[in-house]
Amino acid sequence: MGAVPASLLAPAAPLRLGISPITNFGWRFRRCSVTDVKLLTFVCNWCSYGGADTAGGLKLECPPGVRLVRVMCSGRVDAQLILEGFRSGADGVLVLGCHPGDCHYKEGNYVAQKRAPLLARMLEQFGIERERFRIDWVSAGEGERFSKVVNAMYDNVARLGPLELVDRKVEGSMR
Amino acid sequence: MIKQKPKVAFYWCASCGGCEETVVDLNAAILDVADAVDIVLWPVALDFKYHHIEALKDGDIAVSFINGAIRTNEQAHISKLLRQKSGLVVAFGSCAHTGGIPGLANLTSREEIFRTSFHESPTVVNASGTVPQEDSLADGMPVRLPAFWEEVHTLDQWIDVDYYIPGCPPPPALVLSAVTAILEGKLPEKGSVLAPAKALCDTCPRRKTKSENTKITKIHRPHEIIADPEICFLEQGIICCGPATRSGCGEVCINGNMPCTGCFGPPPGVIDQGAKLISAISSLFNAKTKEEAMEMARQVVDPAGTFHRYTVPSSLLGCRIHKKAAMPADGRMDREAA
Amino acid sequence: MKTITVDPITRLEGHGKINIFLDDDGNVQKAIFQVPELRGFEAFAIGRPAEDMPQITSRICGVCPTAHHMAATKALDDLFKVTPPPAAKAIRELVNCAFMTEDHALHFYFLGGPDFVLGPSAPPEQRNILGVVGVVGKEIAGQVIDIRRRLRDLMALCAGKPIHPVFGLPGGVAKAIPESERTQIQQLGRDTVKFAQFSLDLFRKIVLGNKDLLELVTGDIYYNETNYMGLVDADNRLNLYDGDVRVVDPAGKERLKFKPQDYAKHIAEHVEEWTYVKFPYLRDVGWRGFVDGPDSGLYRVAPLARLNVADGMATPLAQAEYERLYETFGGKPVHHTLANHWARLIELLYAAERITELADLPELTSPDIRNLDFGIPSEGVGIVEAPRGTLIHHYKSDERGVLTGCNLIVATVGNSAAICMSIDRAAKKLIKNGNVNEGLLNMVEMAFRAYDPCLSCATHALPGEMPLAVEIIDSKGVIVQRLERR
């Protein structure tokens, strides 16, 4: 395992919806030149969660800023959860579901696939670049694919740098 | 001993005056309300001053109804003052509740507003580049203007709010029932929205025509087709915000044969109305492939303005990120236009 | 001079504000009217779908949402190059007339009326609608409320909602009027005509029958010689919903007549540092400052302007009243600002008569309310007469009909320079040698109130009609008095 700053191993702030992300999955953390971004990754219990596990078993490289949240289906990752992720400090949000045709619940990943482009367009209107949100497919056996997708996404987000949302509750933010 | 009538204040922040008109639209019922309470502040109709409010003891006003969003320090100041002097504060109408239409300004910036209004307008002749200043001389006389803030805020982003009356504007019947509930002390848990807990789809007169398995193959904008006045708008491919909007409006827009635009804000359990609408509407798309999903998304010309029409300031994101020039809705190409 | 201490906590930036500066002798050096906010509709309209404009721009003002809805809808007809069917046009005009009568009545009885019914220097606690009720009687008040309610119900029937309507679409309206409603609408029209006549009688009795008030109306305190602007039909008669824009000069001669699409060729706007409102003027004259007279490029809008611009009224009863007004003042145009109150009631009568005419139109209840034969959207202008004057909406869009530009010249903005001049003039005439009292200040405010100014509209910012602060500042820059009307 590479050297990881302690601050990045601490869990991200729990989401308002009551979920605490997993930060360490046995991967070999890669050295990152830009280490101060966080990538919230929703993984499906039936596929990509397994993919993350496989990546850990193979000791594949993953960026330390990745935070995993296990969900039962990518179709259950409501757009609210994705916004909540950004609001809670994520600099990028990745949703990993089952390959088309493989959904444990038959249709869930298609629901996720329909939602993504509409949400992406809205995020852009709010000034959140397209590269910060992505949906992709990883099966339980695809440890390498998991590592590849996560690293590529992380690099894209790292290039953009941290996302700075205005804290709407704080008076100091008023101009 | 004569029982003292409860003191009530109405105040407006950044709003259009429609919330005041809706109170006038109570018609005769307003006289009953006026009999039951002692109105200590109501700028539109009666002549009271600040210092009257400042002279009151803390908590002396039974309830303050505040409409409009917060954009200046004066609005912030008075809402705080009213909070201090009031037992209950009710956010009245969409702007105070969720930000309202003026909240769409959070998708642009102060700079763009000034540029559009004072430089790029086709009628403005402004060779010297004059823009309004906080301190300036008018004909040699020193005058002051309030600063124009970067963002619009909801009332509860500034002060503690006890209850919310939704709507743009809230319909008179809802106002009356909420006011009655307050006067009779029959109030739900603090923080409640004083309107029905169902989503609009559940109370919609067209509900029966919505199928279990709606599949939208093409999105029609309201002007593009003649909508059947009996059939669910979503079945007809017209975006309707009913799935993630609170009911209680009397379905007036639906009955006017126009789709819901979401002014009542989110139903219980929904934090971000726009995001929930994205989930709800996209799930109806008839799209199996990524390309089909992208094409359906492209047909929604303005997702943020459609799904967050009244809720940008109260949304999870709250405003556009100004770090760098962001690309707005598709089709916005001609910045120099107008 | 008596110095009145001002509580420093009382801050009033968020409202219309009049600053009156006194010289060493306590006479008025300058009175300045500021509009202190801005909401930015023109900026955040960009990127929105054009067809959403009628509903979005109605939120500029909850007092006259119908006017914005109408101007926006007409701009969309132009943008999408589509002509609405006759029924849709009739329904739109009917809603516009119902709104105009209701709004004019509201102004006369609630806002402007109290100054006349109770007298300009009556104690402020009486100078409101309740005071008016005391004078005219509860029965009349009941009638006002009842007519207003019925007009609002008609608007709800046709437009979905009376506040922030939802019926306007490019090429038509969203909902037809069922034939079963016709008799009710006809009855409402007749009742509204009677109500308008009654209101005019009341005005004659109270104002024209009172020597002091008549002097005030016809005197020189509230007087500015300006150009006037308004919509006229093909026969140059007043029209509130449609037509060409006509401008007459201070002598009453036609100066310009142009199609709505050409508005930007003829109107320009000036920006000042000390207020968020812009000041429109006639482009060919140029900006010459806050001056009236034959060389001024400033123009006025709203009821009196519309009457000054028109050669007459298109309905018989209103025409008779129109003639009476000009007889009283001895010719056209009338430059007396307070005559706006009279002109407003004449328009009330016109709009009421127009309701009866529209109610009889066979096509009113036709189900043919939409035309879908759109061209490729590009640019559109819509102009209607709002209660407070000529209202201009101008949109540009891409070929999908998504807005790329938006320009609004809102009714009260049309009068913004004139309001500044009127206030300055009234203050100079009324305040002498440091003698300031509430009654005099109210008379300064009357100059402002005659325009029925809607600051909510003007800035696309401020709520409602009346909140206002007046500050009197002496030659040392010290605030000696502050009055608030909130």
Side-chain angles (χ1 to χ4, degrees):
Chain A
M1 194 191 277
V4 178
S7 64
L8 282 170
L9 284 175
L15 303 187
R16 205 187 298 181
L17 301 169
I19 302 159
S20 291
I22 308 163
T23 54
N24 191 343
F25 216 90
W27 310 307
R28 193 160 55 82
F29 284 123
R30 70 180 240 219
R31 281 184 181 280
C32 292
S33 50
V34 183
T35 49
D36 57 347
V37 296
K38 294 193 188 78
L39 177 62
L40 181 65
T41 307
F42 290 98
V43 284
C44 162
N45 177 63
W46 305 98
C47 56
S48 45
Y49 180 78
D53 196 13
T54 307
L58 294 171
K59 295 268 181 254
L60 294 177
E61 266 197 346
C62 280
V66 171
R67 303 284 184 275
L68 290 195
V69 171
R70 176 158 67 159
V71 292
M72 289 309 283
C73 178
S74 58
R76 293 302 303 271
V77 185
D78 187 274
Q80 288 189 98
L81 267 174
I82 293 160
L83 297 195
E84 182 71 55
F86 284 118
R87 174 45 72 200
S88 305
D91 303 300
V93 178
L94 177 61
V95 179
L96 296 176
C98 305
H99 285 278
D102 290 351
C103 176
H104 187 77
Y105 308 99
K106 292 194 170 67
E107 294 278 327
N109 51 358
Y110 289 113
V111 171
Q113 179 174 264
K114 290 193 281 187
R115 184 182 295 146
L118 188 58
L119 179 62
R121 291 198 45 224
M122 192 190 79
L123 290 175
E124 280 193 285
Q125 289 181 287
F126 276 91
I128 297 182
E129 300 88 341
R130 209 159 270 217
E131 294 84 352
R132 291 189 190 271
F133 168 60
R134 186 176 157 78
I135 180 165
D136 213 326
W137 319 125
V138 170
S139 74
E142 294 179 317
E144 296 211 357
R145 182 170 165 79
F146 176 86
S147 168
K148 193 178 136 215
V149 169
V150 166
N151 279 304
M153 172 85 178
Y154 183 89
D155 289 342
N156 281 335
V157 174
R159 253 193 302 276
L160 292 170
L163 184 69
E164 284 156 17
L165 297 186
V166 177
D167 188 344
R168 320 252 327 134
K169 229 1 196 187
V170 177
E171 277 195 44
S173 75
M174 293 290 171
R175 279 153 287 193
Chain B
M1 195 178 96
I2 304 161
K3 191 167 166 272
Q4 226 185 1
K5 292 190 205 171
K7 292 189 176 69
V8 170
F10 291 94
Y11 190 73
W12 49 19
C13 294
S15 75
C16 70
C19 285
E20 308 288 329
E21 286 264 327
T22 209
V23 174
V24 177
D25 280 354
L26 286 170
N27 295 317
I30 198 175
L31 299 175
D32 298 337
V33 174
D35 273 348
V37 302
D38 182 9
I39 300 173
V40 293
L41 179 73
W42 192 15
V44 73
L46 303 169
D47 225 10
F48 293 100
K49 298 177 182 179
Y50 275 165
H51 58 250
H52 292 134
I53 302 299
E54 277 158 3
L56 293 172
K57 287 199 291 288
D58 287 2
D60 208 16
I61 301 172
V63 50
S64 284
F65 296 90
I66 304 180
N67 71 65
I70 306 286
R71 193 162 203 169
T72 71
N73 44 1
E74 190 229 7
Q75 291 155 354
H77 169 75
I78 300 200
S79 54
K80 280 192 170 146
L81 179 67
L82 284 171
R83 173 69 273 180
Q84 187 190 334
K85 303 291 180 186
S86 307
L88 295 176
V89 167
V90 177
F92 189 102
S94 293
C95 297
H97 177 204
T98 58
I101 296 257
L104 285 172
N106 284 8
L107 292 176
T108 168
S109 65
R110 180 184 190 275
E111 186 202 337
E112 281 169 72
I113 289 172
F114 270 58
R115 196 171 63 215
T116 312
S117 190
F118 300 117
H119 298 294
E120 290 181 351
S121 149
T123 38
V124 160
V125 175
N126 189 6
S128 59
T130 305
V131 287
Q133 306 288 328
E134 277 179 67
D135 285 295
S136 61
L137 296 176
D139 235 12
M141 308 297 167
V143 288
R144 257 190 96 79
L145 280 175
F148 183 71
W149 284 352
E150 188 71 51
E151 295 145 23
V152 175
H153 296 256
T154 63
L155 186 62
D156 66 4
Q157 286 166 349
W158 271 101
I159 59 167
D160 193 30
V161 168
D162 297 288
Y163 296 101
Y164 302 84
I165 300 180
C168 183
L174 189 74
V175 175
L176 197 60
S177 67
V179 169
T180 310
I182 291 166
L183 291 179
E184 291 173 354
K186 291 177 183 158
L187 280 164
E189 190 191 343
K190 182 181 162 165
S192 298
V193 177
L194 303 178
K198 287 180 171 168
L200 185 69
C201 280
D202 294 332
T203 60
C204 180
R206 304 185 186 190
R207 187 183 174 202
K208 286 205 189 82
T209 63
K210 166 110 170 61
S211 69
E212 286 285 301
N213 244 324
T214 309
K215 284 273 178 271
I216 302 177
T217 47
K218 164 102 179 74
I219 289 170
H220 299 289
R221 286 153 70 183
H223 65 290
E224 290 176 340
I225 57 167
I226 294 178
D228 186 307
E230 310 287 335
I231 310 268
C232 167
F233 281 106
L234 291 166
E235 290 288 334
Q236 305 184 58
I238 296 171
I239 292 175
C240 177
C241 295
T245 299
R246 188 184 286 269
S247 61
C249 55
E251 298 82 37
V252 280
C253 295
I254 307 286
N255 291 332
N257 203 19
M258 288 292 275
C260 170
T261 57
C263 76
F264 262 56
V270 174
I271 295 171
D272 189 297
Q273 186 187 20
K276 194 71 198 173
L277 279 166
I278 282 191
S279 296
I281 304 287
S282 66
S283 71
L284 307 176
F285 290 170
N286 188 15
K288 262 298 191 210
T289 65
K290 192 178 165 195
E291 288 67 35
E292 285 169 349
M294 286 170 72
E295 170 53 26
M296 290 303 295
R298 204 191 61 82
Q299 290 180 21
V300 182
V301 292
D302 175 23
T306 304
F307 302 124
H308 278 119
R309 173 76 63 87
Y310 303 87
T311 56
V312 175
S314 63
S315 69
L316 283 164
L317 298 174
C319 62
R320 202 179 80 199
I321 294 157
H322 300 293
K323 200 171 64 175
K324 58 182 175 185
M327 208 185 66
D330 280 11
R332 180 169 159 186
M333 317 181 301
D334 186 4
R335 270 277 9 163
E336 306 312 303
Chain C
M1 188 193 310
K2 190 179 158 201
T3 302
I4 296 165
T5 316
V6 181
D7 182 350
I9 304 167
T10 310
R11 304 179 63 203
L12 285 158
E13 294 97 322
H15 296 272
K17 190 168 160 190
I18 298 173
N19 303 277
I20 300 173
F21 294 92
L22 306 180
D23 62 17
D24 290 340
D25 302 326
N27 291 325
V28 175
Q29 193 176 348
K30 184 79 195 163
I32 286 158
F33 171 61
Q34 283 180 288
V35 175
E37 213 189 319
L38 177 75
R39 274 190 300 184
F41 274 80
E42 287 148 323
F44 69 69
I46 293 172
R48 311 274 89 78
E51 71 275 11
D52 286 351
M53 283 304 114
Q55 290 194 37
I56 287 178
T57 58
S58 79
R59 267 72 178 198
I60 287 170
C61 177
V63 181
C64 48
T66 312
H68 287 283
H69 194 79
M70 289 294 167
T73 305
K74 286 184 66 191
L76 292 185
D77 291 343
D78 194 25
L79 185 91
F80 285 96
K81 305 173 176 65
V82 63
T83 309
K89 198 165 172 280
I91 294 168
R92 288 185 193 171
E93 193 181 348
L94 179 68
V95 173
N96 200 42
C97 285
F99 162 63
M100 191 64 90
T101 43
E102 175 260 310
D103 194 84
H104 274 4
L106 186 76
H107 184 268
F108 179 68
Y109 286 96
F110 282 70
L111 305 170
D115 290 330
F116 295 104
V117 177
L118 295 135
S121 39
E125 59 272 19
Q126 288 173 21
R127 226 171 35 220
N128 57 35
I129 176 65
L130 299 174
V132 175
V133 173
V135 173
V136 300
K138 275 207 169 133
E139 197 192 328
I140 308 290
Q143 270 185 34
V144 179
I145 289 177
D146 189 50
I147 278 280
R148 189 173 177 280
R149 180 186 58 75
R150 287 168 63 195
L151 289 164
R152 300 288 271 191
D153 286 350
L154 174 64
M155 288 162 72
L157 170 81
C158 304
K161 292 156 73 187
I163 304 170
H164 306 319
V166 298
F167 75 132
L169 287 167
V173 294
K175 195 184 168 192
I177 299 180
E179 178 60 33
S180 56
E181 297 287 341
R182 188 188 290 277
T183 34
Q184 277 215 28
I185 300 172
Q186 286 168 328
Q187 185 59 47
L188 175 58
R190 285 192 292 273
D191 292 349
T192 311
V193 170
K194 270 188 236 150
F195 170 74
Q197 287 175 308
F198 164 81
S199 303
L200 272 158
D201 284 342
L202 188 69
F203 181 82
R204 265 194 292 274
K205 204 169 79 193
I206 288 176
V207 180
L208 305 183
N210 177 317
K211 200 174 135 284
D212 295 345
L213 285 177
L214 188 63
E215 239 178 68
L216 205 60
V217 174
T218 57
D220 73 340
I221 297 174
Y222 307 102
Y223 184 90
N224 283 102
E225 293 181 3
T226 62
N227 303 287
Y228 296 94
M229 180 183 288
L231 282 183
V232 289
D233 66 14
D235 300 322
N236 283 336
R237 294 174 307 182
L238 179 144
N239 198 305
L240 299 171
Y241 170 76
D242 213 356
D244 290 344
V245 180
R246 193 184 199 201
V247 179
V248 297
D249 66 16
K253 213 165 91 277
E254 179 176 298
R255 175 165 210 157
L256 291 168
K257 193 172 169 185
F258 56 86
K259 297 267 167 230
Q261 285 70 17
D262 293 332
Y263 84 101
K265 284 185 198 152
H266 302 290
I267 302 171
E269 290 179 287
H270 173 78
V271 182
E272 286 282 353
E273 281 188 347
W274 43 267
T275 182
Y276 285 117
V277 79
K278 293 181 277 190
F279 299 101
Y281 57 93
L282 300 174
R283 201 184 275 273
D284 60 347
V285 182
W287 175 254
R288 298 193 177 175
F290 297 88
V291 289
D292 61 357
D295 299 330
S296 167
L298 299 180
Y299 64 85
R300 291 198 275 183
V301 295
L304 181 63
R306 288 191 283 252
L307 263 58
N308 279 338
V309 159
D311 290 348
M313 308 297 283
T315 56
L317 297 174
Q319 173 64 22
E321 292 292 341
Y322 169 95
E323 286 163 15
R324 198 183 302 210
L325 179 140
Y326 286 109
E327 251 166 58
T328 306
F329 283 92
K332 251 181 98 179
V334 169
H335 298 297
H336 298 82
T337 309
L338 293 187
N340 261 304
H341 293 287
W342 193 357
R344 192 169 288 119
L345 292 176
I346 295 172
E347 283 191 341
L348 171 67
L349 181 57
Y350 161 77
E353 286 183 281
R354 199 63 199 127
I355 293 175
T356 60
E357 290 176 3
L358 290 163
D360 290 341
L361 281 184
E363 67 258 34
L364 182 71
T365 56
S366 158
D368 179 20
I369 50 169
R370 297 279 298 280
N371 179 358
L372 300 187
D373 188 15
F374 301 119
I376 294 169
S378 54
E379 186 164 2
V381 177
I383 302 189
V384 296
E385 287 294 335
R388 293 148 192 91
T390 312
L391 169 62
I392 304 170
H393 281 216
H394 174 198
Y395 310 135
K396 282 187 178 187
S397 81
D398 64 11
E399 72 286 353
R400 295 176 81 194
V402 175
L403 253 61
T404 55
C406 172
N407 191 37
L408 310 168
I409 301 181
V410 176
T412 294
V413 172
N415 276 332
S416 56
I419 291 174
C420 291
M421 284 192 304
S422 295
I423 286 170
D424 187 48
R425 183 181 176 99
K428 283 176 176 158
K429 295 231 177 241
L430 289 163
I431 297 170
K432 298 278 183 206
N433 306 321
N435 179 16
V436 183
N437 62 46
E438 206 281 336
L440 283 177
L441 280 179
N442 184 52
M443 287 172 73
V444 173
E445 260 185 70
M446 281 168 68
F448 160 86
R449 206 173 291 135
Y451 294 97
D452 184 10
C454 182
L455 300 184
S456 186
C457 281
T459 59
H460 323 161
L462 275 174
E465 310 218 352
M466 288 308 295
L468 187 69
V470 182
E471 281 183 359
I472 314 281
I473 300 139
D474 70 13
S475 57
K476 314 252 174 347
V478 177
I479 298 167
V480 291
Q481 191 166 354
R482 177 172 216 158
L483 286 176
E484 309 150 32
R485 193 162 311 284
R486 308 179 55 79

